[in-house]
Amino acid sequence: QVQLVESGGGLVQAGGSLRLSCAASGRTFSIYGMGWFRQAPGKEREFVAAIYWNSGSTYYADSVKGRFTISRDNAKSTVYLQMNSLKPEDTAVYFCAATPSSLTTRPTNYNYWGQGTQVTVSS
């Protein structure tokens, strides 16, 4: 099993920045990749960004490309999501997730999930 704990959410004005962290514990050697997803009220959970645990290759949703950066610190078993130029439409609960197999944009491909952290961007 892998346990994931997110932190770093909060309230920020439009144009501001936040950095989310996701600390992994347990069988972290089984992690192939990690992703960030978000879910706004009344909407489906959507892909934000993902990173391969070993190579560090990254992928982003078009809506956040150029504004968000995903990174990882293997020594700390932690993944980060740096969010800049935040917009009100970025408001959502943000979840990190881990997969032991293929890295995709589909939530169903991820076996392990954190509890989520709220990000609210005011206009």
Side-chain angles (χ1 to χ4, degrees):
Q1 293 291 328
V2 174
Q3 294 79 41
L4 303 173
V5 178
E6 302 103 333
S7 61
L11 173 64
V12 65
Q13 287 189 332
S17 299
L18 281 175
R19 189 176 84 152
L20 306 182
S21 300
C22 175
S25 61
R27 297 171 62 90
T28 57
F29 60 84
S30 68
I31 296 175
Y32 182 74
M34 293 189 69
W36 285 97
F37 291 78
R38 65 188 182 186
Q39 188 166 17
K43 295 188 176 182
E44 292 187 352
R45 191 166 298 189
E46 65 172 357
F47 170 78
V48 175
I51 187 167
Y52 282 99
W53 195 247
N54 288 332
S55 71
S57 296
T58 58
Y59 300 89
Y60 297 93
D62 288 342
S63 60
V64 306
K65 204 171 292 183
R67 300 188 298 123
F68 290 11
T69 302
I70 188 172
S71 62
R72 92 271 190 249
D73 184 334
N74 288 29
K76 296 182 178 180
S77 297
T78 299
V79 172
Y80 304 97
L81 185 68
Q82 177 66 44
M83 305 185 294
N84 298 329
S85 302
L86 282 161
K87 305 175 181 180
E89 51 263 44
D90 294 318
T91 295
V93 177
Y94 283 70
F95 298 89
C96 72
T99 174
S101 57
S102 58
L103 197 68
T104 75
T105 62
R106 295 191 297 271
T108 52
N109 273 80
Y110 292 76
N111 295 52
Y112 308 105
W113 291 84
Q115 81 287 354
T117 184
Q118 177 70 47
V119 171
T120 303
V121 184
S122 63
S123 56

